[in-house]
Amino acid sequence: MPSRREQSVVLSPTTTLLCGSVPPRGVVERPTTLLGTLVFGSWKVVPVFFLPSPVRPAARAPFALAAAGAVPGESCTGEQIAVVGATGYIGKAVVRESVRRGYPTRAVMRDVSKGAKESKFDGAELVQFDVTDRDGCAAGDLFAAGSVDAVICCLASRTGTKKDSFAIDYRAALNCAEAAKAAGARRFVLLSAYCVISAERGDDYALQFQYAKKRLEEELAALADGAFD
């Protein structure tokens, strides 16, 4: 698996996904924009990582065709978008931007009654589902076949404990990725963190959520194929 430096990219948040293009490769020594202060609409260096895939360029043809003539960051190419972890700070921003660009957008949350009161979800379809329900995800209860083209995962654990980190940052996120692939989605975008490099290096100060995300990234790399990345 390439190092985190090799996985780092320079991109406009969600531009790669929503316009269907392949993320540009680059090297980011340190992220200059914190996850909590992402800015949409212009190119920024952000700690968001697109996992490497063994897919040859030709295998990306469906996305390339969909993006023909698209203006990065502005054009809507019509993919059905689902955001999991939609009620977090970044999740809300992703939902709002996806809707603004004209994409059919679903915001997945545990309690839609709370989401219905949030103006940032205006224009999105609110879906109530517990993504920790592995059996439900596997049964197609989260994503029905053909219902989603791309999933943006903004899930994040709250406490930082090992149990919570591996339940959310690893297992719940992997549930969503596996459900997305089974439903025929073409892309899964993980909101990760640059600091996961501490887990890769085995630093003494590495935190549990970093190890959880590291394990998830490894699973996603293995999950990728010619039709899903």
Side-chain angles (χ1 to χ4, degrees):
M1 184 174 180
S3 68
R4 183 155 300 277
R5 285 183 55 184
E6 292 172 331
Q7 293 177 42
S8 301
V9 294
V10 180
L11 73 160
S12 174
T14 76
T15 294
T16 300
L17 166 66
L18 300 182
C19 290
S21 56
V22 178
R25 288 281 179 174
V27 174
V28 180
E29 291 291 345
R30 292 180 178 84
T32 59
T33 304
L34 296 177
L35 287 177
T37 56
L38 295 182
V39 177
F40 293 90
S42 60
W43 290 85
K44 296 289 182 180
V45 178
V46 297
V48 175
F49 303 100
F50 286 78
L51 292 173
S53 168
V55 181
R56 294 192 177 100
R60 300 182 186 270
F63 260 83
L65 291 174
V71 178
E74 292 300 328
S75 299
C76 176
T77 49
E79 288 85 2
Q80 301 174 92
I81 308 300
V83 182
V84 294
T87 55
Y89 179 81
I90 299 175
K92 290 177 182 177
V94 171
V95 171
R96 182 174 59 181
E97 182 64 9
S98 178
V99 170
R100 184 190 74 80
R101 296 185 187 181
Y103 287 88
T105 305
R106 276 179 287 164
V108 180
M109 58 192 69
R110 286 173 293 184
D111 187 349
V112 296
S113 66
K114 294 180 180 178
K117 302 174 183 178
E118 176 61 69
S119 62
K120 291 181 180 179
F121 294 128
D122 289 351
E125 176 189 355
L126 305 188
V127 177
Q128 184 163 304
F129 191 84
D130 181 357
V131 294
T132 65
D133 180 0
R134 187 177 184 182
D135 291 337
C137 287
D141 296 340
L142 176 57
F143 305 125
S147 67
V148 63
D149 296 307
V151 175
I152 308 176
C153 180
C154 299
L155 293 172
S157 56
R158 295 179 181 275
T159 67
T161 64
K162 182 175 182 178
K163 180 179 179 180
D164 191 29
S165 295
F166 276 84
I168 303 301
D169 296 308
Y170 168 67
R171 186 65 258 175
L174 185 58
N175 291 346
C176 295
E178 291 172 340
K181 182 175 182 178
R186 294 177 290 179
R187 178 157 293 176
F188 184 88
V189 179
L190 170 66
L191 180 66
S192 190
Y194 184 79
C195 60
V196 176
I197 193 172
S198 291
E200 292 180 347
R201 294 187 307 221
D203 293 337
D204 292 340
Y205 51 82
L207 303 176
Q208 289 299 324
F209 88 90
Q210 295 167 346
Y211 281 106
K213 285 187 176 291
K214 172 181 176 292
R215 183 175 174 186
L216 172 64
E217 291 178 3
E218 293 168 347
E219 295 275 7
L220 293 179
L223 198 62
D225 58 26
F228 177 81
D229 68 359

